[in-house]
Amino acid sequence: MNERAKRISRLVSALITGGLVLATLVVFRSVPARAWGGGETVPSPCDFTTGGGWIRIAAGTASNNGGLPESDQKANFGLVGGCKNGGFFGHVNYVDHNNGLHVSSDSITGYVNPCPGCSPPEANNARDICGTADVSIRGSFIGTFNFRVRTIDAEQQSSPPPKDKFGIELQNQSTGNIDYLVPTRCLASDSPTGDVTTCSSVNPGGGDIELHKHNPSTFTNIGASCPDDGGLGY
């Protein structure tokens, strides 16, 4: 394992075992989800993604969050996801330090390329990890939600490498609505990009997302189950 891979591994481990921050307890508000346009597929041959880092969430750049305060503080994440031994594997941990929202996955139900063959072709380098997660605020359990996180390894998009990207949504299992949405943005950035625009000029740092090549064990023979894309963008 090279030094860069070791740093990523340490960062993911630290985030997965990290604690919550204090915040005000609020109640989610549901709004209808926007339907996904279809076409997403499990990569074939399948690969896998690892990552850890942070984004910022400025006021007005998150949606459907029921009054959760967003004040340009960091949200940290650590993740791994992909195909292995005929199924899906992984873990996602996410903490929004603006309000104490904590997402910890308990199952992985899908790993997909959300837009194969899309134009511009850079969208093909996106990978979505889907599953179910326990969600809490300030240590108080809110419920189990479906989740979908979007990752983009920008080094797979162009050279010199621009910023990697991350976005997340939570779907209410009872209503099917998207109750929390942070559209995809560059690491260390506070605003969604909306498309495959690169972000080489934003704040330095922010972590790293790595799209790894497939190997003989990274295959699946089951279908993916993901909540509808409620507006994650690229």
Side-chain angles (χ1 to χ4, degrees):
M1 180 182 292
N2 60 34
E3 187 58 31
R4 185 183 183 211
K6 290 179 181 177
R7 289 198 304 271
I8 295 170
S9 178
R10 288 195 295 268
L11 179 57
V12 171
S13 297
L15 288 168
I16 289 174
T17 58
L20 297 177
V21 296
L22 296 179
T24 303
L25 181 63
V26 297
V27 178
F28 284 122
R29 174 179 59 86
S30 297
V31 299
R34 189 175 69 193
W36 174 244
E40 60 193 37
T41 62
V42 176
S44 181
C46 198
D47 43 49
F48 68 102
T49 297
T50 59
W54 54 273
I55 56 175
R56 305 191 82 95
I57 308 177
T61 66
S63 303
N64 309 353
N65 64 354
L68 284 171
E70 305 291 359
S71 55
D72 206 25
Q73 299 300 308
K74 291 181 180 179
N76 292 88
F77 68 91
L79 60 85
V80 59
C83 308
K84 191 170 185 178
N85 299 328
F88 301 109
F89 84 102
H91 185 76
V92 172
N93 192 75
Y94 172 82
V95 180
D96 184 343
H97 293 284
N98 293 274
N99 47 58
L101 177 80
H102 181 213
V103 178
S104 181
S105 67
D106 51 38
S107 71
I108 301 298
T109 60
Y111 176 78
V112 299
N113 179 342
C115 202
C118 277
S119 179
E122 288 85 348
N124 283 288
N125 298 308
R127 294 292 184 270
D128 288 3
I129 304 170
C130 307
T132 63
D134 291 336
V135 178
S136 61
I137 298 177
R138 198 187 176 191
S140 296
F141 180 69
I142 302 300
T144 300
F145 286 73
N146 301 325
F147 73 86
R148 183 177 191 138
V149 300
R150 178 150 299 160
T151 66
I152 298 178
D153 182 358
E155 292 161 299
Q156 300 290 333
Q157 290 187 345
S158 61
S159 181
K163 285 283 186 180
D164 296 335
K165 296 183 181 182
F166 174 86
I168 183 171
E169 68 176 31
L170 300 176
Q171 182 191 51
N172 188 305
Q173 291 186 336
S174 297
T175 66
N177 294 331
I178 302 301
D179 283 357
Y180 177 86
L181 170 66
V182 177
T184 302
R185 62 202 63 199
C186 295
L187 303 188
S189 179
D190 64 359
S191 298
T193 48
D195 54 29
V196 294
T197 303
T198 59
C199 304
S200 56
S201 62
V202 299
N203 298 331
D208 185 69
I209 291 172
E210 194 72 22
L211 175 60
H212 301 268
K213 294 181 179 179
H214 68 281
N215 62 52
S217 73
T218 54
F219 73 95
T220 183
N221 49 25
I222 62 175
S225 177
C226 289
D228 287 343
D229 184 334
L232 283 167
Y234 292 92

